[in-house]
Amino acid sequence: MHILLERVGRGDVRATWLDLSREGVPERMETLALGGLPALVEAEEAGAPGSADRPRWVWDDTRAWYPALLSAGARVERCVDLRLCHVILRGSTLTAATPLARADPGPWDAVVEPEAEAPAVHTALFDLDEPADAAVASPASVRDEFVAQEQAIASSADPRRLRLLLAAESAGALIGVELQYAGLPYSAERHDALLTGLLGPRPAYGRPAVLEGLVRELREQLEAPDLNPDSPPDLLKALQRAGILATSTRSWELRRIEHPVIDPLLRYKKLSRLLTANGWTWLDAWVHDGRFRPDYVPGGVVTGRWATRGGGALQLPRQVRGAVVADPGWKLVVADAAQLEPRVLTGLSGDEAMAAAGRGKDLYEGIVASGAVDARAQAKVAMLGAMYGATTGESGRLMPRLTRAFPRAVRLVEDAARAGERGEKVTSRLGRSSPLPGGRWGEVQSAASAADATEADERRARSLGRDWGRFTRNFVVQASAAEWALCWMAELRNRLTALAPGAAFTASPHLVYFLHDEVIVHTPEELADEVAAAVRASAEQAGRLLFGAFPVEFPVTAAIVDSYAEAK
């Protein structure tokens, strides 16, 4: 059963019970005050977890509906996030011939920017003001959009794959809201102590003492008394005046230079970055009441990876991970999927030799054992080169050996690259497709094909084609890895709920952090071992959902710790 939720005016909501097996004829319709919605949700969710009696809630945007429901104690098991699903169905090659994909752009195609400067805080049950960006669509558009999406799925090239993807994407939307609601357990006192140990005490203004000391050292060594190391042009000029042949101030280039000033300069850049991204100002803005609550944006990247609206949750540096600490009587279960993207490539390509290389062991060590390369570091470089399109240096040198050992895996990414170079879409395992290259790309290709094209036109076209080919080469792997991660989290969310049936959300094991191939669960100590087992079982299930019986493994490490810093 599906229950559609639609705003009616400023103070009411319309719920429509819809059974798709009966050709979408509404079984029941009810209009109620917004304040009564949590009670309705709780009543409908009263069945056993995972049972057919529980509905799938259909709404325009999970971020507009679920935070207030969750705050009121009404937790949802399943939903259809029409906006997230619309993006996938509009762009997928599997639905390219459907009316939904071929329609002119409309309100459902509005782009929501993934970045903001301050944390989002949901305080009221529902904001009764009409949203400025029309985030909640009209009742008719919600019903029409749901019907259009169902028709697009049914007439697609592979409904099963798409339904799994849309279910996983919508589950991710629920998880994103729950991550913010629960928050990552975080000690402001530990964070302050870590910053003080690295930077010196918090200054009233200006740079902390350690950074000021490094600035003095840099100015002395470069004989530049007015140097501002935070200004790349100023710093580059100072380096060149000192006879240092640097062409940029990027850290990777500076590391290649032998000079006494490089070590303090690199240290300054690292600590300055920490201060800017996760210093005391960040602490004041984002950590409250013992929790860090970032605002996640599921599907915020074209590959399906998540983004955040500020807070930098996807770049939490190692220097401050010691501030992530479990509550008394609780533990953190920190889980990391090993070599996720290479293993996803294995499943995508159906490469039996690569699957055997990773069976029961480190995949890179297995590649060495196969004789494809001589050392683990070479295996890693070769695989990254294959997935990201490196054609020079050690990656380029190793590619022929990798191709001979694992031809199907290499052929898959090479085919994706060639498709991108031709300006075509590529599609993930479950059906998310890459965007087409922008207008300038087409203009350049057309100019190179014209009768009066010059060699410069042709070089420019080849260069842009290769650039887009590198994007599509990686897209198929990264997007499929994002799908695996969504299935992993969705399955884990269900298993965590089953460990403490009937318990309040934050009183039972629950997800508190996600980073591409890593999750953290906050759990009562007595359930920690069961949570770790659930993490591993969920990874196995995610592999089966995506790749069926193909023997590719997705090993996951699950560390039971008091602090995030202890897990690595």
Side-chain angles (χ1 to χ4, degrees):
M1 176 67 67
H2 291 77
I3 303 179
L4 279 66
L5 296 183
E6 308 160 325
R7 288 278 291 272
V8 184
R10 297 182 64 231
D12 294 328
V13 60
R14 178 180 298 152
T16 304
W17 282 253
L18 209 61
D19 187 345
L20 294 178
S21 66
R22 300 182 180 180
E23 299 183 350
V25 177
E27 289 195 353
R28 172 183 162 198
M29 189 177 292
E30 180 179 334
T31 300
L32 65 155
L34 281 170
L37 183 57
L40 172 65
V41 171
E42 287 190 274
E44 293 290 338
E45 292 281 341
S51 71
D53 295 334
R54 289 202 171 187
R56 193 180 295 273
W57 301 90
V58 181
W59 46 44
D60 66 317
D61 189 343
T62 302
R63 293 163 58 85
W65 290 90
Y66 194 36
L69 289 170
L70 198 58
S71 296
R75 194 171 181 220
V76 166
E77 181 177 317
R78 303 183 301 171
C79 80
V80 176
D81 188 303
L82 292 175
R83 287 199 182 275
L84 288 175
C85 294
H86 181 89
V87 172
I88 293 170
L89 294 172
R90 280 282 278 180
S92 178
T93 58
L94 302 181
T95 56
T98 65
L100 186 147
R102 298 169 66 88
D104 292 334
W108 290 94
D109 296 296
V111 176
V112 179
E113 296 296 331
E115 290 299 329
E117 294 300 322
V121 179
H122 304 283
T123 55
L125 177 58
F126 285 98
D127 180 2
L128 297 183
D129 293 331
E130 291 298 327
D133 61 353
V136 180
S138 67
S141 71
V142 169
R143 171 75 181 276
D144 291 347
E145 175 65 19
F146 180 54
V147 171
Q149 289 191 13
E150 285 297 313
Q151 291 173 345
I153 297 166
S155 58
S156 70
D158 197 326
R160 187 199 69 81
R161 286 164 60 192
L162 276 175
R163 288 197 183 281
L164 176 56
L165 173 56
L166 300 181
E169 187 85 342
S170 296
L174 294 172
I175 292 168
V177 171
E178 291 175 353
L179 288 171
Q180 185 184 32
Y181 176 78
L184 181 66
Y186 208 95
S187 169
E189 293 76 14
R190 286 200 184 192
H191 188 98
D192 176 70
L194 290 167
L195 290 179
T196 300
L198 291 167
L199 301 169
R202 181 175 189 173
Y205 59 89
R207 297 185 181 95
V210 172
L211 287 181
E212 279 293 348
L214 288 169
V215 170
R216 286 194 298 270
E217 185 177 351
L218 295 174
R219 287 171 175 171
E220 290 172 3
Q221 291 204 37
L222 293 174
E223 297 182 358
D226 298 322
L227 171 66
N228 175 11
D230 297 317
S231 167
D234 195 14
L235 177 59
L236 185 58
K237 288 179 182 177
L239 290 170
Q240 292 174 344
R241 281 197 302 267
I244 299 171
L245 301 179
T247 59
S248 78
T249 61
R250 295 185 181 92
S251 296
W252 64 266
E253 181 177 343
L254 294 174
R255 290 190 187 96
R256 299 177 178 179
I257 299 172
E258 292 187 12
H259 190 280
V261 79
I262 297 301
D263 284 344
L265 177 54
L266 290 174
R267 187 178 177 215
Y268 176 86
K269 288 171 68 70
K270 184 176 183 179
L271 292 177
S272 179
R273 190 182 310 116
L274 173 65
L275 177 64
T276 300
N278 297 95
W280 289 281
T281 300
W282 176 89
L283 183 64
D284 293 341
W286 288 95
V287 177
H288 303 284
D289 302 320
R291 292 294 186 271
F292 168 39
R293 290 186 168 87
D295 192 7
Y296 289 95
V297 184
V301 181
V302 293
T303 58
R305 278 192 167 194
W306 288 18
T308 59
R309 293 178 183 270
L314 303 181
Q315 296 91 27
L316 196 64
R318 294 185 183 277
Q319 298 105 307
V320 298
R321 290 183 180 180
V324 180
V325 290
D327 291 343
W330 289 61
K331 292 286 186 181
L332 300 175
V333 178
V334 181
D336 184 8
Q339 302 143 354
L340 176 58
E341 288 190 355
R343 292 176 185 275
V344 164
L345 173 57
T346 303
L348 282 172
S349 61
D351 195 309
E352 295 276 2
M354 188 169 283
R359 194 166 301 134
K361 55 183 175 294
D362 178 282
L363 175 60
Y364 298 136
E365 293 289 357
I367 291 174
V368 174
S370 75
V373 295
D374 302 322
R376 187 183 187 280
Q378 290 181 329
K380 186 172 183 179
V381 167
M383 283 301 302
L384 291 175
M387 292 185 295
Y388 288 89
T391 58
T392 60
E394 188 174 19
S395 292
R397 182 176 61 81
L398 293 170
M399 276 302 296
R401 298 174 64 180
L402 193 71
T403 302
R404 286 193 295 271
F406 310 109
R408 296 189 62 160
V410 174
R411 187 183 311 121
L412 183 136
V413 288
E414 290 292 337
D415 288 347
R418 300 294 86 76
E421 291 173 8
R422 295 190 297 269
E424 299 170 0
K425 290 185 175 185
V426 295
T427 299
S428 68
R429 178 67 174 181
L430 296 183
R432 189 188 301 271
S433 294
S434 63
L436 293 172
R440 181 173 176 269
W441 190 94
E443 294 170 4
V444 171
Q445 302 302 321
S446 296
S449 301
D452 58 348
T454 65
E455 289 187 9
D457 291 332
E458 294 173 358
R459 284 196 301 271
R460 192 177 303 113
R462 285 194 297 269
S463 177
L464 281 179
R466 285 193 295 269
D467 288 345
W468 198 256
R470 280 191 288 272
F471 165 69
T472 53
R473 172 194 294 271
N474 183 246
F475 181 95
V476 290
V477 179
Q478 193 177 111
S480 301
E483 292 165 357
W484 181 92
L486 283 172
C487 292
W488 180 34
M489 284 200 297
E491 177 68 17
L492 178 57
R493 177 179 183 258
N494 291 338
R495 289 174 181 263
L496 294 178
T497 300
L499 288 179
F505 172 47
T506 54
S508 60
H510 55 278
L511 286 157
V512 292
Y513 187 65
F514 170 56
L515 176 62
H516 304 320
D517 56 3
E518 184 176 329
V519 298
I520 300 179
V521 177
H522 196 214
T523 178
E525 185 172 2
E526 64 273 15
L527 293 175
D529 289 332
E530 293 178 72
V531 168
V535 163
R536 290 186 284 267
S538 299
E540 293 177 8
Q541 177 63 11
R544 286 192 291 270
L545 284 172
L546 262 70
F547 303 114
F550 184 75
V552 55
E553 296 180 352
F554 292 92
V556 170
T557 60
I560 300 172
V561 295
D562 295 310
S563 165
Y564 189 12
E566 298 170 8
K568 297 288 186 177

